[in-house]
Amino acid sequence: MSQDNGVHANGSATENQTTSASTDASLEAHAKAPQSRGPKWWLWVIIAAVVVVALVVGFNAFAKKGGNDSAATNDGAAADTVTVGLKLAPTNLDIRNQSGSALDQILIGNVYEGLVARNDQNQVVPSIASSWEESKDGLTYTFHLNDGMTFSNGDKLDAEDVAWSINELIDKQYHDADALEAVSKVEASDANTVVITLKQPNANLLWTLTGRPGLVFDKDAKYDAKTEALGSGPYTVAKFVENDSITLKANDKYWGKNKAKTPNVIVRYFTDDNAAVNALKSGDVQVLAPITENLAEPFKNDTANYTVKAGDGTDKYVMAFNNAAGKTTADKRIRQAIRYAINHDELIASRGGADKPLGGPIPSLDPGYEDLTGLYPFDQAKAKELLAEAGYSTDHPLQLTLTYANTYGTEIGDQLRSQLKEVGIDLKVNVVEFSTWLQDVYTNKDYDISLVDHNESHDFYQWSDPTYYYGYDNKEVQKLYAEGVAATSDKERDEKFAEAAKLVSEDAPADWLFNYRITTATAKGVEGFPFNMNQTILPLYNVTYTPSK
């Protein structure tokens, strides 16, 4: 769901994501939302998660040998154009108003830059600001900007543009404005210094500023934000074809260290998996991201022509139990038994082996992560013991229903049903249209067990909200999370989040089946393409392609 902003969520509202991946609803799969984000964002968060999974499930025709080197010269020199195949296409470029993770993915770090940025380890790094300090009380952040910055039109970029951009976001409630609810004021104290004052400490502020809330715009520029983009990054948008492609051109006025290594990058969006795979095979594209691990085998086996690699991300396949009073799954023994009964290694192996085990609500790239996989190891005897205490056995099985959207396919439900049957649980798998899931599970909370890919980073806040569809209410978790957000050091924040996450996992309000990892295939000769988190942030300035002779 969404980060502090969204579920892979960024969420899309289309019901059949497998055939339509180009709507902004489907883009919502990676939007960034703040921990304070309220119920109105849950929908986007959840929808996005479903979308990305659906989109990735595809890619089913495969190839052998790659390419005609159409994007490159024939003498072994680096090509002046690299073409990248992606899945989620934006319907317009208005990053201030249009929801959808596809905009963040392609525009942030390439065309628009933020006060700070994020690297592929999900850590905050300098960008427009070269350095910053935080006051001891956590209420004042002072940012020192780089010298000599310009926008792509040649206009000077200074502290006034930074302060104006963030204040405009708050005043006009542009997308993700609620992520800055704790901000009291933003001021340019001089041409190279910006001061942000908070109403109360927010340990997630810097990370939040790596997304849309921290983007800096030219306050004097005039352009059509839906079809054009004017920023300070290493690329400009040379051409935009709705739901089809974006052509990026190196910004000849770029001021910083991330100068584009390839003059032109063409991003093509494929809704048809066969077309995408054939494009990589023929050399029409040099990169495909994502591609499912199982279906990537032909490319993986052809090491002379392709590289296939899985990257880390923040997707969490959450099998949530309805924790509300009166539900069978309100019994902690039953929830624990289910967790013990699941063979996570088997699930991961059946998907190709790229995913990672995840024993709790915080993935490895988020603050507060701790390896909690040892809390509920695969132990059928322990599962049977707990179920017996609750009055169930293989002769008198517990009947439960797992409800999830059809975009995830049926295999995972079949595997879970088989595994739980071994310990005395008769699991009915109810695969439904996403609109039905949304109404029954998310809105009405009428379910036993559900399954959704919550992909957003920094989304632990969900477990501190008893009104969220999980129905999970733990006052100590809520207290620890609030203390973590109000922490004035990363160390204190991480300790509080980790303590809270361990409590959540021990309570077993869900089982985290695995940390889903995105697999990318590239033609040999492609260098500098980011594998980690490339469905969320996709910096392209380092990308080059040198075809073999």
Side-chain angles (χ1 to χ4, degrees):
M1 307 278 239
S2 100
Q3 139 224 2
D4 289 337
N5 262 10
V7 171
H8 221 267
N10 292 343
S12 120
T14 56
E15 296 176 12
N16 186 358
Q17 305 299 353
T18 56
T19 58
S20 176
S22 60
T23 65
D24 254 298
S26 10
L27 312 177
E28 293 284 356
H30 288 310
K32 317 293 174 291
Q35 75 284 342
S36 60
R37 188 154 286 197
K40 64 181 180 180
W41 292 102
W42 299 355
L43 172 59
W44 296 119
V45 172
I46 293 172
I47 301 176
V50 173
V51 172
V52 169
V53 173
L55 300 175
V56 173
V57 164
F59 291 126
N60 45 23
F62 270 73
K64 302 175 180 176
K65 183 176 178 189
N68 55 22
D69 298 341
S70 59
T73 61
N74 295 320
D75 58 2
D80 63 4
T81 301
V82 175
T83 303
V84 177
L86 300 180
K87 198 69 175 169
L88 299 174
T91 55
N92 69 65
L93 301 180
D94 189 356
I95 199 164
R96 281 179 155 182
N97 293 294
Q98 179 63 60
S99 65
S101 61
L103 284 177
D104 304 65
Q105 180 188 27
I106 198 62
L107 294 183
I108 296 178
N110 292 316
V111 178
Y112 293 113
E113 294 179 302
L115 189 55
V116 288
R118 218 183 319 168
N119 64 16
D120 68 354
Q121 297 301 308
N122 208 24
Q123 300 298 310
V124 178
V125 295
S127 182
I128 284 175
S130 59
S131 63
W132 54 87
E133 299 99 34
E134 177 185 353
S135 62
K136 289 184 178 181
D137 62 6
L139 296 177
T140 304
Y141 287 74
T142 303
F143 296 88
H144 306 286
L145 309 189
N146 291 286
D147 294 321
M149 295 184 294
T150 61
F151 292 100
S152 60
N153 61 358
D155 287 357
K156 182 179 179 182
L157 190 168
D158 59 19
E160 188 176 340
D161 294 292
V162 175
W164 174 82
S165 297
I166 299 175
N167 284 324
E168 278 283 289
L169 177 99
I170 296 170
D171 293 345
K172 296 187 177 178
Q173 287 295 290
Y174 291 133
H175 189 75
D176 282 358
D178 54 349
L180 297 181
E181 288 177 348
V183 172
S184 173
K185 58 183 177 180
V186 183
E187 300 173 298
S189 59
D190 60 49
N192 290 310
T193 309
V194 173
V195 179
I196 297 180
T197 306
L198 304 181
K199 304 167 190 173
Q200 62 269 341
N202 183 346
N204 287 330
L205 176 68
L206 286 173
W207 190 90
T208 297
L209 291 173
T210 67
R212 298 195 195 194
L215 294 183
V216 178
F217 300 88
D218 184 352
K219 63 184 179 59
D220 299 319
K222 305 295 182 184
Y223 60 98
D224 184 348
K226 290 186 176 182
T227 58
E228 301 172 295
L230 197 159
S232 59
Y235 282 102
T236 63
V237 174
K239 184 179 181 182
F240 168 61
V241 181
E242 181 179 336
N243 291 328
D244 180 79
S245 65
I246 295 176
T247 301
L248 301 177
K249 181 180 180 181
N251 174 11
D252 59 9
K253 295 183 176 62
Y254 179 61
W255 59 273
K257 63 180 182 179
N258 296 334
K259 185 176 177 62
K261 292 183 178 179
T262 299
N264 307 288
V265 175
I266 300 173
V267 177
R268 293 178 57 191
Y269 295 97
F270 293 92
T271 58
D272 180 83
D273 299 333
N274 291 330
V277 169
N278 287 335
L280 179 60
K281 180 181 179 182
S282 67
D284 288 341
V285 303
Q286 288 76 54
V287 180
L288 274 187
I291 190 168
T292 56
E293 183 74 9
N294 282 341
L295 295 176
E297 284 302 317
F299 292 129
K300 185 182 294 186
N301 293 334
D302 187 359
T303 57
N305 293 291
Y306 301 101
T307 297
V308 178
K309 182 177 178 181
D312 292 330
T314 56
D315 289 68
K316 304 160 288 292
Y317 264 54
V318 180
M319 192 173 83
F321 310 134
N322 193 333
N323 292 260
K327 289 290 184 178
T328 305
T329 44
D331 188 330
K332 184 176 179 178
R333 296 170 300 181
I334 290 173
R335 302 196 306 268
Q336 291 177 312
I338 295 172
R339 294 199 66 185
Y340 280 121
I342 295 174
N343 187 333
H344 298 87
D345 290 340
E346 184 179 88
L347 291 177
I348 291 171
S350 72
R351 292 168 51 83
D355 303 320
K356 288 184 176 180
L358 181 64
I362 298 180
S364 61
L365 294 183
D366 273 0
Y369 169 74
E370 179 183 359
D371 183 356
L372 300 175
T373 54
L375 289 179
Y376 290 92
F378 177 51
D379 189 337
Q380 291 180 321
K382 184 65 174 177
K384 290 178 179 179
E385 178 184 328
L386 287 162
L387 285 170
E389 290 179 15
Y392 302 98
S393 66
T394 52
D395 294 328
H396 176 59
L398 168 62
Q399 295 186 344
L400 293 172
T401 300
L402 167 64
T403 304
Y404 65 90
N406 56 11
T407 50
Y408 293 91
T410 59
E411 182 179 358
I412 192 168
D414 293 340
Q415 289 175 302
L416 291 167
R417 177 171 52 210
S418 176
Q419 291 185 2
L420 296 185
K421 182 179 180 181
E422 295 293 320
V423 301
I425 297 176
D426 181 5
L427 187 68
K428 176 185 177 183
V429 179
N430 188 23
V431 181
V432 299
E433 293 290 331
F434 184 68
S435 57
T436 301
W437 181 92
L438 187 62
Q439 184 64 41
D440 294 349
V441 177
Y442 168 73
T443 303
N444 295 336
K445 302 178 179 130
D446 182 15
Y447 73 100
D448 295 327
I449 307 175
S450 180
L451 173 63
V452 168
D453 172 14
H454 287 256
N455 88 308
E456 287 302 333
S457 177
H458 288 59
D459 65 356
F460 180 68
Y461 70 93
Q462 298 166 351
W463 299 102
S464 70
D465 185 350
T467 68
Y468 201 65
Y469 80 95
Y470 306 140
Y472 176 66
D473 189 356
N474 184 313
K475 298 298 188 293
E476 182 63 17
V477 168
Q478 294 160 23
K479 174 177 175 291
L480 287 167
Y481 178 71
E483 291 172 350
V485 171
T488 56
S489 73
D490 289 350
K491 182 176 183 293
E492 181 186 1
R493 175 201 63 191
D494 293 356
E495 289 174 349
K496 294 291 186 181
F497 286 179
E499 186 178 353
K502 188 173 183 180
L503 285 178
V504 172
S505 186
E506 288 172 343
D507 278 348
D511 186 88
W512 295 269
L513 298 179
F514 45 79
N515 178 190
Y516 165 57
R517 302 176 77 221
I518 296 291
T519 299
T520 298
T522 67
K524 276 295 184 182
V526 172
E527 300 290 342
F529 188 85
F531 291 93
N532 286 356
M533 298 186 66
N534 63 31
Q535 300 301 290
T536 306
I537 53 172
L538 186 60
L540 294 168
Y541 58 85
N542 266 333
V543 177
T544 61
Y545 174 51
T546 306
S548 56
K549 294 182 180 179

